Amino acid sequence: MFSTASNPKVAIAAMAAMKPQLATMDELFSTSPRETLEMGEGLFWEGDRAQHIFEITEGVLRIFKIIADGRRVITGFLYAGDMVGLSLKNVYLYSAEAVTPVKVRRLTRKAFQDAIENSPELRPQLFSLMCDEMAAAQDQMVLLSRKSAEERLCSFLMMLGQRQSGQTQMPKTIQLAMSRQDMADYLGLTIETVSRTVTKLIQRGIITPNGRHAFDLTKPGKLLALCGDGDSYEDVGDPAVKTRQAVWPH
Amino acid sequence: MFSTASNPKVAIAAMAAMKPQLATMDELFSTSPRETLEMGEGLFWEGDRAQHIFEITEGVLRIFKIIADGRRVITGFLYAGDMVGLSLKNVYLYSAEAVTPVKVRRLTRKAFQDAIENSPELRPQLFSLMCDEMAAAQDQMVLLSRKSAEERLCSFLMMLGQRQSGQTQMPKTIQLAMSRQDMADYLGLTIETVSRTVTKLIQRGIITPNGRHAFDLTKPGKLLALCGDGDSYEDVGDPAVKTRQAVWPH
DNA sequence: TTATGATGTTACAAACTGTTACACGATTTC
DNA sequence: GAAATCGTGTAACAGTTTGTAACATCATAA
């Protein structure tokens, strides 16, 4: 199946790749028109036929599932530059709604797959994206599995801060695009517990409310310490100690 | 960057791919020797330099992270045929230990990446694998975020059943390779809660103990009903209703 | 067989989070 | 501009899950 220029399929692919010379994911979507979503509007629903991949150009999107009794679980928030809809299944595995007004561009799954398959530049980028997504999912599992309400809140604020600062140091102010209910459904808490915990953090002077949907980081160091993921590596030492079990002081 | 046979890199890659004609992930590892892990032995640790990708040939592996206070979160169990160590980072993002005696085969990351990059057969398979992993991670987030202890247990047993039956219908008996503590750390519960919940399911006649590490499915229908993920799609209807919000009866 | 340690089970009190109810302010609607 | 609605904050109470401890069971070795 793999061949050289004598295979017309490869030759065509090569030519296709030469024309726009796609080097970034963003360029892939550059020919698509921008579409607008109002606040609260849905982009697609769990179970819909998955025909497109989307790139977010502006705004914040929430990804969620609904289970029995109407319980909602938000599995992620997506910001400008992120992509949604990646999957091999024929239906979307989750729903997507606009948290704020949102602008997206879309590509058919086929166009996307062809572009990836024909671009040795794009493939590692896609792989990298998926790995990052997987790492984020695992961190979220840790949060939901073993962290207290306070640790969840602090972790969430730290994540938002890092995302807004773009990998540099923490910003002074953290913007919350989403409602308390969205936060609760993302953190596996109720809205009341979110409220209580936020109040406690404010009373302890760790954050200061700045309008209804933003916080100033008064003590960013404290916030980091309260995330609960310190010292992960502390006792992971000599790999030569083969039969060591994880220490579990229960 | 994309070219035809005039590019020696591609030509070499083509030749390399022609020799073994790699069509499945399994074949990729077929030249590597099998390595053995004893029960409880570690394969790698979170923070180690990530130099290899592993394929599990036999046995069960647990993937986990440790956070502050020694709290452990098992993010997954891996069985024969699964791969571990996929990531773009230079260090492993989690630890891997043998739950049962395990056999693995390894490939350097570079060898793996080259093989993927040079095989249009393997790429979709890898993509598919990663998508499945992502879907499983999201299901796990739902479980950890909003399911009760009983729902978690039932979901876990169903998952094990499906894995053991190989996508066909539920088997009569479900084998538990792991300890109660492992189950607890995977389901976000304590070992006591796991015990109590298992006892309840037995008393209600839904499962029947079959030795210490296996259950017979007396009422598989009941078990499925208790998973808590029914009716996810029930009100996901007309995509034309654009501004519909998810119903959230709180 | 008996001893020993690891693993699993059960009971009870305690803690955290969820539930319910109501108050407040901002925005929208009429 | 008043009323209704929505999102949010606060409080008392209830409930599930946890933590602690004791006990039971199993596997292995003496």
Side-chain angles (χ1 to χ4, degrees), chain B residues 175-232:
Chain B
Q175 298 295 330
L176 297 179
M178 66 293 296
S179 69
R180 293 288 189 271
Q181 184 65 67
D182 284 338
M183 290 170 60
D185 289 345
Y186 180 65
L187 298 174
L189 302 168
T190 58
I191 184 173
E192 295 89 347
T193 303
V194 170
S195 249
R196 278 187 287 253
T197 310
V198 165
T199 302
K200 267 186 232 162
L201 292 177
I202 292 171
Q203 285 170 347
R204 291 165 61 186
I206 293 164
I207 56 178
T208 308
N210 184 338
R212 195 111 171 197
H213 284 280
F215 293 118
D216 287 337
L217 292 189
T218 333
K219 300 179 183 170
K222 268 276 185 190
L223 192 69
L224 178 58
L226 289 173
C227 286
D229 26 37
D231 313 325
S232 315

Coordinates of all heavy atoms in Angstrom, one line a residue, chain B residues 175-232:
Chain B
Q175 N -14.5 -11.8 35.7 CA -13.3 -12.0 36.4 C -12.7 -10.7 36.9 O -12.7 -9.7 36.1 CB -12.2 -12.7 35.6 CG -12.5 -14.1 35.1 CD -12.6 -15.1 36.2 OE1 -12.0 -15.0 37.2 NE2 -13.5 -16.1 36.0
L176 N -12.4 -10.6 38.2 CA -11.8 -9.4 38.7 C -10.3 -9.6 38.9 O -9.9 -10.4 39.8 CB -12.4 -9.0 40.1 CG -13.9 -8.6 40.1 CD1 -14.3 -8.3 41.5 CD2 -14.1 -7.5 39.1
A177 N -9.5 -9.0 38.1 CA -8.0 -9.2 38.2 C -7.5 -8.4 39.4 O -6.5 -8.8 40.0 CB -7.3 -8.8 36.9
M178 N -8.2 -7.3 39.8 CA -7.6 -6.4 40.7 C -8.2 -6.5 42.1 O -9.2 -7.1 42.3 CB -7.8 -5.0 40.2 CG -9.2 -4.5 40.1 SD -10.2 -5.3 38.9 CE -9.4 -4.9 37.3
S179 N -7.5 -5.9 43.1 CA -8.0 -5.9 44.5 C -9.1 -4.9 44.7 O -9.3 -4.0 43.8 CB -6.8 -5.6 45.4 OG -6.4 -4.2 45.2
R180 N -9.7 -5.0 45.8 CA -10.8 -4.0 46.2 C -10.2 -2.6 46.2 O -10.8 -1.6 45.9 CB -11.3 -4.3 47.6 CG -12.1 -5.6 47.6 CD -13.5 -5.5 46.9 NE -14.3 -6.7 47.1 CZ -14.3 -7.7 46.3 NH1 -13.5 -7.8 45.3 NH2 -15.1 -8.7 46.6
Q181 N -8.9 -2.5 46.7 CA -8.3 -1.2 46.8 C -8.1 -0.6 45.4 O -8.3 0.6 45.2 CB -6.9 -1.3 47.5 CG -6.2 0.0 47.7 CD -6.9 0.9 48.7 OE1 -7.1 0.6 49.8 NE2 -7.5 2.0 48.1
D182 N -7.7 -1.4 44.4 CA -7.6 -1.0 43.1 C -8.9 -0.5 42.5 O -9.0 0.6 41.9 CB -7.0 -2.1 42.2 CG -5.5 -2.4 42.3 OD1 -4.8 -1.4 42.8 OD2 -5.1 -3.5 42.0
M183 N -9.9 -1.2 42.8 CA -11.3 -0.8 42.4 C -11.6 0.5 43.0 O -12.2 1.4 42.3 CB -12.3 -1.9 42.7 CG -12.2 -3.2 42.0 SD -13.2 -4.6 42.6 CE -14.8 -3.9 42.5
A184 N -11.4 0.6 44.3 CA -11.7 1.9 45.0 C -11.0 3.1 44.3 O -11.6 4.1 44.1 CB -11.4 1.8 46.4
D185 N -9.7 2.9 44.1 CA -8.9 4.0 43.5 C -9.3 4.3 42.1 O -9.0 5.4 41.6 CB -7.4 3.7 43.6 CG -6.9 3.7 45.0 OD1 -7.7 4.2 45.9 OD2 -5.8 3.2 45.3
Y186 N -9.9 3.3 41.4 CA -10.4 3.6 40.0 C -11.7 4.2 40.0 O -12.0 5.1 39.2 CB -10.4 2.2 39.3 CG -10.9 2.3 37.8 CD1 -10.1 3.0 36.9 CD2 -12.1 1.8 37.4 CE1 -10.5 3.1 35.6 CE2 -12.5 1.9 36.1 CZ -11.7 2.6 35.2 OH -12.1 2.7 33.9
L187 N -12.6 3.9 41.0 CA -13.9 4.4 41.0 C -14.1 5.6 41.9 O -15.2 6.1 42.0 CB -14.9 3.2 41.5 CG -14.9 2.0 40.6 CD1 -15.7 0.9 41.2 CD2 -15.4 2.4 39.2
G188 N -13.0 6.1 42.5 CA -13.1 7.3 43.3 C -13.9 7.0 44.6 O -14.6 7.9 45.1
L189 N -13.7 5.8 45.2 CA -14.4 5.5 46.4 C -13.4 5.0 47.4 O -12.2 4.9 47.1 CB -15.4 4.3 46.1 CG -16.5 4.6 45.1 CD1 -17.3 3.3 44.8 CD2 -17.5 5.7 45.6
T190 N -13.8 4.6 48.6 CA -12.9 4.0 49.5 C -13.1 2.5 49.4 O -14.2 2.0 48.9 CB -13.2 4.4 51.0 OG1 -14.6 4.1 51.3 CG2 -13.0 5.9 51.2
I191 N -12.2 1.7 49.9 CA -12.3 0.3 49.9 C -13.5 -0.2 50.6 O -14.2 -1.2 50.2 CB -11.0 -0.3 50.4 CG1 -11.0 -1.8 50.3 CG2 -10.7 0.1 51.9 CD1 -9.7 -2.5 50.7
E192 N -13.8 0.5 51.7 CA -15.0 0.1 52.5 C -16.3 0.3 51.7 O -17.2 -0.6 51.7 CB -15.1 0.9 53.8 CG -13.9 0.6 54.8 CD -12.8 1.5 54.5 OE1 -12.7 2.2 53.4 OE2 -11.9 1.6 55.3
T193 N -16.4 1.4 51.0 CA -17.6 1.6 50.3 C -17.8 0.6 49.1 O -18.9 0.1 48.8 CB -17.6 3.0 49.7 OG1 -17.5 4.0 50.7 CG2 -18.8 3.3 48.9
V194 N -16.6 0.2 48.5 CA -16.7 -0.8 47.5 C -17.2 -2.1 48.1 O -18.1 -2.8 47.6 CB -15.3 -1.1 46.9 CG1 -15.3 -2.3 46.0 CG2 -14.8 0.1 46.1
S195 N -16.7 -2.5 49.3 CA -17.1 -3.7 50.0 C -18.6 -3.7 50.3 O -19.3 -4.6 49.9 CB -16.3 -3.8 51.3 OG -15.4 -4.9 51.2
R196 N -19.0 -2.6 50.9 CA -20.4 -2.5 51.3 C -21.3 -2.6 50.0 O -22.3 -3.3 50.1 CB -20.6 -1.1 51.9 CG -20.3 -1.0 53.4 CD -20.7 0.3 53.9 NE -19.8 1.4 53.5 CZ -18.9 2.0 54.3 NH1 -18.8 1.6 55.5 NH2 -18.2 2.9 53.8
T197 N -20.9 -1.9 49.0 CA -21.8 -1.9 47.8 C -21.8 -3.2 47.1 O -22.9 -3.7 46.7 CB -21.3 -0.8 46.8 OG1 -21.1 0.4 47.5 CG2 -22.3 -0.6 45.7
V198 N -20.7 -3.9 47.1 CA -20.7 -5.3 46.5 C -21.6 -6.2 47.3 O -22.4 -6.9 46.8 CB -19.2 -5.8 46.5 CG1 -19.3 -7.3 46.3 CG2 -18.4 -5.1 45.5
T199 N -21.5 -6.0 48.6 CA -22.4 -6.8 49.5 C -23.9 -6.6 49.2 O -24.6 -7.6 49.1 CB -22.1 -6.5 51.0 OG1 -20.7 -6.7 51.2 CG2 -22.9 -7.4 51.9
K200 N -24.2 -5.3 49.1 CA -25.6 -5.0 48.7 C -26.1 -5.6 47.4 O -27.2 -6.2 47.4 CB -25.8 -3.5 48.6 CG -26.2 -2.8 49.9 CD -26.5 -1.3 49.6 CE -25.7 -0.4 50.6 NZ -25.6 1.0 50.2
L201 N -25.2 -5.6 46.4 CA -25.6 -6.2 45.1 C -25.7 -7.7 45.2 O -26.6 -8.3 44.6 CB -24.5 -5.8 44.1 CG -24.4 -4.4 43.6 CD1 -23.3 -4.2 42.7 CD2 -25.7 -3.9 43.0
I202 N -24.9 -8.3 46.1 CA -25.0 -9.7 46.3 C -26.4 -10.0 47.0 O -27.1 -10.9 46.6 CB -23.9 -10.2 47.1 CG1 -22.6 -10.1 46.3 CG2 -24.1 -11.7 47.5 CD1 -21.3 -10.4 47.0
Q203 N -26.6 -9.2 48.1 CA -27.9 -9.5 48.8 C -29.1 -9.3 48.0 O -30.1 -10.0 48.2 CB -27.9 -8.5 50.0 CG -27.0 -8.9 51.1 CD -26.9 -7.8 52.2 OE1 -27.3 -6.7 52.0 NE2 -26.3 -8.2 53.3
R204 N -29.1 -8.4 47.0 CA -30.2 -8.2 46.1 C -30.2 -9.2 45.0 O -31.1 -9.1 44.1 CB -30.2 -6.8 45.6 CG -30.5 -5.7 46.7 CD -30.1 -4.3 46.3 NE -30.8 -3.9 45.1 CZ -30.6 -2.7 44.5 NH1 -29.6 -1.9 44.9 NH2 -31.3 -2.4 43.4
G205 N -29.3 -10.1 45.0 CA -29.3 -11.1 44.0 C -28.9 -10.7 42.6 O -29.1 -11.4 41.6
I206 N -28.3 -9.6 42.5 CA -27.9 -9.1 41.1 C -26.6 -9.7 40.7 O -26.4 -10.0 39.5 CB -27.8 -7.5 41.2 CG1 -29.2 -6.9 41.4 CG2 -27.2 -7.0 39.9 CD1 -29.2 -5.5 41.8
I207 N -25.7 -10.0 41.6 CA -24.5 -10.7 41.3 C -24.3 -11.8 42.4 O -24.8 -11.7 43.5 CB -23.2 -9.8 41.3 CG1 -23.1 -9.1 42.6 CG2 -23.3 -8.9 40.1 CD1 -21.8 -8.2 42.6
T208 N -23.5 -12.8 42.1 CA -23.3 -13.9 43.0 C -21.8 -14.1 43.1 O -21.2 -14.3 42.0 CB -24.0 -15.2 42.6 OG1 -25.4 -14.9 42.3 CG2 -23.9 -16.3 43.6
P209 N -21.2 -14.1 44.2 CA -19.8 -14.3 44.3 C -19.4 -15.7 43.8 O -20.1 -16.7 44.1 CB -19.5 -14.2 45.8 CG -20.8 -14.4 46.5 CD -21.8 -13.9 45.6
N210 N -18.3 -15.7 43.1 CA -17.8 -17.0 42.5 C -16.3 -17.0 42.8 O -15.5 -16.6 42.0 CB -18.1 -17.0 41.0 CG -17.7 -18.3 40.3 OD1 -16.8 -19.0 40.9 ND2 -18.2 -18.6 39.2
G211 N -16.0 -17.5 44.0 CA -14.6 -17.3 44.5 C -14.4 -15.9 44.9 O -15.4 -15.1 44.9
R212 N -13.2 -15.5 45.2 CA -13.0 -14.1 45.8 C -12.9 -13.1 44.7 O -13.1 -11.9 44.9 CB -11.7 -14.2 46.6 CG -11.6 -13.0 47.5 CD -11.7 -13.3 49.0 NE -11.4 -12.3 49.9 CZ -11.1 -12.5 51.2 NH1 -11.1 -13.7 51.7 NH2 -10.9 -11.5 52.0
H213 N -12.5 -13.5 43.5 CA -12.2 -12.6 42.5 C -13.0 -12.8 41.2 O -12.5 -12.6 40.1 CB -10.7 -12.6 42.2 CG -9.9 -11.8 43.2 ND1 -9.8 -10.5 43.3 CD2 -9.2 -12.3 44.3 CE1 -9.1 -10.1 44.3 NE2 -8.7 -11.2 45.0
A214 N -14.2 -13.2 41.4 CA -15.1 -13.3 40.2 C -16.6 -13.3 40.7 O -16.9 -13.6 41.9 CB -14.9 -14.7 39.5
F215 N -17.4 -12.8 39.8 CA -18.8 -12.7 40.1 C -19.6 -13.4 39.0 O -19.2 -13.3 37.8 CB -19.3 -11.3 40.2 CG -18.8 -10.6 41.4 CD1 -18.0 -9.5 41.3 CD2 -19.1 -11.0 42.7 CE1 -17.4 -8.8 42.4 CE2 -18.5 -10.3 43.8 CZ -17.7 -9.2 43.6
D216 N -20.7 -14.1 39.3 CA -21.6 -14.6 38.3 C -22.7 -13.5 38.2 O -23.2 -12.9 39.1 CB -22.3 -15.9 38.7 CG -21.3 -17.0 38.6 OD1 -20.3 -16.9 37.8 OD2 -21.5 -18.1 39.3
L217 N -23.1 -13.2 36.9 CA -24.1 -12.3 36.7 C -25.5 -12.9 36.7 O -26.0 -13.6 35.8 CB -23.9 -11.6 35.3 CG -22.7 -10.8 35.1 CD1 -22.8 -10.0 33.8 CD2 -22.6 -9.8 36.2
T218 N -26.1 -12.8 37.9 CA -27.4 -13.4 38.0 C -28.5 -12.6 37.3 O -29.4 -13.2 36.7 CB -27.8 -13.5 39.5 OG1 -26.6 -13.5 40.3 CG2 -28.6 -14.8 39.8
K219 N -28.4 -11.3 37.4 CA -29.4 -10.5 36.7 C -28.7 -9.4 35.9 O -28.7 -8.2 36.3 CB -30.3 -9.8 37.8 CG -31.1 -10.8 38.6 CD -32.0 -10.0 39.6 CE -32.7 -11.0 40.6 NZ -33.4 -10.3 41.7
P220 N -28.2 -9.8 34.7 CA -27.5 -8.8 33.9 C -28.3 -7.6 33.5 O -27.8 -6.5 33.4 CB -27.0 -9.6 32.7 CG -27.8 -10.9 32.7 CD -28.3 -11.1 34.1
G221 N -29.6 -7.8 33.3 CA -30.5 -6.7 33.0 C -30.5 -5.6 34.1 O -30.4 -4.4 33.9
K222 N -30.7 -6.1 35.3 CA -30.7 -5.2 36.5 C -29.4 -4.4 36.6 O -29.4 -3.2 36.8 CB -30.9 -6.1 37.8 CG -32.3 -6.2 38.2 CD -32.8 -5.1 39.0 CE -34.2 -5.3 39.5 NZ -34.8 -4.1 40.2
L223 N -28.3 -5.2 36.4 CA -27.0 -4.5 36.5 C -26.9 -3.4 35.5 O -26.5 -2.3 35.8 CB -25.9 -5.6 36.2 CG -24.5 -5.2 36.5 CD1 -24.3 -5.1 38.0 CD2 -23.5 -6.1 35.9
L224 N -27.3 -3.6 34.3 CA -27.3 -2.6 33.2 C -28.1 -1.4 33.7 O -27.7 -0.2 33.5 CB -27.8 -3.1 31.9 CG -27.8 -2.2 30.7 CD1 -26.5 -1.6 30.4 CD2 -28.4 -2.9 29.5
A225 N -29.3 -1.7 34.2 CA -30.2 -0.6 34.6 C -29.6 0.2 35.7 O -29.9 1.4 35.8 CB -31.6 -1.2 35.0
L226 N -28.8 -0.4 36.5 CA -28.2 0.4 37.7 C -27.0 1.2 37.3 O -26.4 1.8 38.2 CB -27.9 -0.6 38.8 CG -29.1 -1.3 39.5 CD1 -28.7 -2.3 40.5 CD2 -29.9 -0.2 40.3
C227 N -26.6 1.1 36.1 CA -25.4 1.9 35.7 C -25.6 3.4 35.7 O -24.6 4.1 35.8 CB -24.9 1.4 34.3 SG -24.2 -0.2 34.2
G228 N -26.8 3.8 35.5 CA -27.1 5.2 35.6 C -26.9 6.0 34.3 O -27.1 7.2 34.2
D229 N -26.6 5.3 33.2 CA -26.4 6.0 31.9 C -27.6 5.8 30.9 O -27.4 5.8 29.7 CB -25.1 5.9 31.3 CG -24.4 4.5 31.6 OD1 -25.1 3.5 31.8 OD2 -23.2 4.5 31.8
G230 N -28.7 5.5 31.4 CA -29.9 5.3 30.5 C -30.4 6.7 30.0 O -30.1 7.7 30.6
D231 N -31.1 6.6 28.9 CA -31.8 7.7 28.4 C -31.0 9.0 28.0 O -31.5 10.1 28.0 CB -32.9 8.2 29.4 CG -33.6 7.0 30.0 OD1 -33.9 6.0 29.2 OD2 -34.0 7.0 31.1
S232 N -29.7 8.7 27.7 CA -28.9 9.9 27.4 C -29.5 10.7 26.2 O -29.3 11.9 26.1 CB -27.5 9.4 27.1 OG -27.1 8.5 28.0

